[in-house]
Amino acid sequence: MTPVPESRQECEDCGQSISELDLSPACPHCGGLLEMVHPRPGHPTMLRRMFAERRTEVRGPDTSGVWRYRELVLPSIDATAIVSHPEGNTPLLSRDAISRWAGIERLLIKHEGHNPTGSFKDRGMTVAITQARRAGARAVACASTGNTSASLAAYAAQAGMPAFVFVPSGNVALGKLAQTLAYGARTLLVRGNFDACLALLRESAAGLGVQLLNSINPFRLEGQKTIAIELLDQLSWEPPDWIVLPAGNLGNTSAIGKGLREAHAMGLITRLPRLAAVQASGAAPFARSFRDGFVERFRVEPETVATAIRIGDPASWKRAVRVIRETDGVVIDVSDDAILEAKAVIDAAGVGCEPASAASVAGAAQLRHKGVIKSGESVVAILTGHLLKDPGAIVHYHQDTEPPPPRANRPIEIEATLADVERVLRVSS
Ligand code: F0G
């Protein structure tokens, strides 16, 4: 058998290539971010047929919505070396109540909260952990607003690798912190925001002998780009007009853009969807820069109810600029009130998501309202995380916010008497 040709890591700044097994966290020559470049995988018709055939498998890597596309993700990997839960295979949902609220008839929701640890991070983590173990890393680490840490903790546990996470003290949603602790990662509550956590980790990673698995790690992006590949596959390779997603550190914007770029270049699709990246207004340096034509890079002191995207100095900035330009994309911001209202609509439709995820639907509604998304255009909004990730935000919205928001579902405390039950049910029926 002829060996599968290896991929390489290439510096986005100076173009220098390094081996795919090199553990450097950045370009050893200039410090730029690295990106994976793969050998051409074959004819699109053959690829589409192969991906479709793999759907019927019930065991092994083909059951993963990441590794089913392994020729596009990490072609040289030996199937027995893969650390998979499995992940992906997330549904594309259509719900009238959400479409109506957003004013978009052809709105589909890709729900990444259906991944094993409840967020899209598992798609990147299965690849990053697989590769870290394969390349001989002894321990892994990340800075996180909570979802990456939960995912890293779970996959490191499965791989039998020690894991260290740096998270902003007091600003990680309860579900995510609980997962991270339960899966056994050594958890450092840093007195600072996400940006401080990432800076601290980048400074200390080499000295500590840990492999950094934030989304600046190119293997993370290879996994995450399968959000785009899988959704195109689900749509029979007929791209939507728009893909809308929440944006924080900009790894996912970069990953989905890379997936679309490559799918287009290899002939799997014949046109590119437009990408809309949506930030929370209190953490929107990228949206601000977009309005100025990306002339300047901004850093802000982030504040938002959507703690997952409470990021003021996104690491994958340059990659994301390229993606927005290539896809004729847009970057907008939405207020915390808009995020919470969209979330209440998504939740009450029986779908549910965490606050940051709802930024995608809030953003799609804003774009439709402003006429950027045109009547009749098809839109896929990515919900990035599960409703149970942030139970605190839900209880606060429904039970504690004064005055009650219009969509609040106030719980009612009663005495344990029939009279109280009758009184309450009579009132609310
Ligand atoms: N949605 C959710 C639920 C997230 O957890 C994140 C990022 C994003 C959207 C934004 O993705 O950063 O690639 O632009 N969470 C990271 C974390 C930062 O540590 O879990 P991005």
Side-chain angles (χ1 to χ4, degrees), residues 120-121 143-148 194 246-252 308-309 311 354 356-357 384-385:
F120 70 101
K121 304 290 182 178
S144 178
T145 54
N147 279 325
T148 303
F194 169 85
N249 210 27
L250 301 177
N252 211 28
I309 51 175
I311 294 171
E354 68 167 281
S357 307
T384 43

Side-chain angles (χ1 to χ4, degrees), residues 140-146 148-149 152 163-169 172 180 185-190 192-205 208 210 214:
V140 289
C142 72
S144 178
T145 54
T148 303
S149 58
L152 176 104
F164 300 88
V165 309
F166 291 41
V167 295
S169 182
V172 180
T180 306
R186 196 102 175 109
T187 304
L188 306 185
L189 303 176
V190 179
N193 60 26
F194 169 85
D195 306 299
C197 291
L198 184 56
L200 185 63
L201 178 61
R202 283 174 109 165
E203 223 175 283
S204 50
L208 295 173
V210 294
N214 274 93

Side-chain angles (χ1 to χ4, degrees), residues 52-64:
E53 282 168 5
R54 289 177 179 170
R55 268 186 192 283
T56 57
E57 288 295 327
V58 292
R59 291 222 311 266
D62 290 349
T63 61
S64 162

Side-chain angles (χ1 to χ4, degrees), residues 270-351:
T270 51
R271 66 181 173 84
L272 284 173
R274 296 179 72 183
L275 217 61
V278 185
Q279 298 205 288
S281 299
F286 196 54
R288 184 172 163 205
S289 179
F290 171 78
R291 288 194 292 273
D292 292 356
F294 289 133
V295 176
E296 217 182 316
R297 179 171 178 166
F298 298 108
R299 289 170 184 79
V300 301
E301 191 55 49
E303 195 46 85
T304 167
V305 66
T307 53
I309 51 175
R310 191 173 175 276
I311 294 171
D313 185 16
S316 286
W317 186 283
K318 263 202 263 178
R319 295 170 163 170
V321 169
R322 176 179 173 197
V323 160
I324 295 299
R325 287 192 169 134
E326 275 176 355
T327 62
D328 189 20
V330 296
V331 189
I332 59 166
D333 65 276
V334 289
S335 68
D336 277 4
D337 283 350
I339 288 174
L340 290 174
E341 187 178 340
K343 174 173 157 53
V345 171
I346 295 162
D347 292 354
V351 173

